[in-house]
Amino acid sequence: TLSYRGGLSDTIMMYVSSPAWSYWRGYAYDTYDGVNWSQSSDDLRRLVSRRRGSFTLLAGYTGETFVQSFYIAQDMPNILWTGGTPIEVYFPAEELAIDETDGVRVGEPIRAGTVYSIVSAIIPHDPDALRAAVFDDKVIDVDLQLPGSVTQRTRDLAEEITADAETVYDKVIAVRDYLLENYPYDYFPPPQPPDTDAVDQFLFVDKRGVCE
């Protein structure tokens, strides 16, 4: 929920060893209703181990890779964190499941003391290629959907920020840079008043917040 206003703690949840910098990905959501994010589909693709504990997610990849090893320090949900684009998983289980947004799930919560490794592809994202990208109907209808609760001044600000950007990629970068320059990160944002839009509250009232 975007209206979450709890505080972050310094509890260590996991240790990760990796030779390469990357974002760790667990959940991905494609539907926003004005308060909560969710996945539009709960379909799962079953993945059976080639040999116990070894799974192939992307067969035939021959490019550059890196390996991350995760040591879980606290009990965690049944989601495997991954960096980059995962192509192989080494996890002590007979099978895994892949959700509609390519999240990797296991059959039960992950217990403290669990160790697993991910082999990931290093796939470059060239700005010129991204500028030339064409969105299909799925991206437009699902990934870019907006609820009716988005305020007019939020829409107006988006138009203003991106007015000089020629491509969708450049619009995204313009919004990113605007947020970086104008909104400080705050581990303890103020409580959100009832019956307010979370994005509007962040952009025009609080003007600071955490990663939600």
Side-chain angles (χ1 to χ4, degrees), residues 77-94:
N78 66 324
I79 298 292
L80 295 189
W81 296 94
T82 66
T85 300
I87 59 175
E88 290 183 57
V89 173
Y90 296 90
F91 184 86
E94 295 287 350

Side-chain angles (χ1 to χ4, degrees), residues 8-173:
L8 302 180
S9 78
D10 58 1
T11 300
I12 294 175
M13 300 303 294
M14 60 186 177
Y15 297 91
V16 184
S17 175
S18 174
W21 182 94
S22 68
Y23 284 113
W24 297 330
R25 180 183 186 276
Y27 298 91
Y29 301 112
D30 58 11
T31 303
Y32 174 54
D33 65 8
V35 177
N36 297 296
W37 281 95
S38 61
Q39 291 184 346
S40 59
S41 171
D42 56 6
D43 291 342
L44 296 174
R45 175 168 56 91
R46 183 168 169 257
L47 195 63
V48 178
S49 174
R50 292 184 289 116
R51 54 186 184 276
R52 180 168 174 79
S54 176
F55 302 85
T56 298
L57 277 64
L58 182 63
Y61 179 78
T62 58
E64 188 177 1
T65 64
F66 68 102
V67 179
Q68 317 118 68
S69 294
F70 293 77
Y71 173 84
I72 304 303
Q74 306 288 337
D75 290 351
M76 302 272 275
N78 66 324
I79 298 292
L80 295 189
W81 296 94
T82 66
T85 300
I87 59 175
E88 290 183 57
V89 173
Y90 296 90
F91 184 86
E94 295 287 350
E95 64 179 47
L96 302 177
I98 311 298
D99 66 30
E100 285 292 294
T101 62
D102 293 329
V104 183
R105 301 173 182 245
V106 298
E108 59 185 18
I110 303 173
R111 301 303 179 189
T114 301
V115 177
Y116 67 92
S117 296
I118 306 289
V119 180
S120 294
I122 300 177
I123 299 177
H125 299 286
D126 178 66
D128 288 337
L130 293 174
R131 287 187 176 96
V134 176
F135 289 155
D136 59 23
D137 290 340
K138 188 267 183 185
V139 171
I140 295 171
D141 296 338
V142 178
D143 297 331
L144 299 182
Q145 60 81 221
L146 288 173
S149 63
V150 176
T151 63
Q152 187 58 50
R153 63 178 178 176
T154 297
R155 297 177 182 275
D156 292 343
L157 179 61
E159 294 286 350
E160 177 185 338
I161 294 169
T162 61
D164 296 329
E166 295 183 359
T167 69
V168 173
Y169 173 79
D170 291 315
K171 291 176 187 291
V172 171
I173 296 302

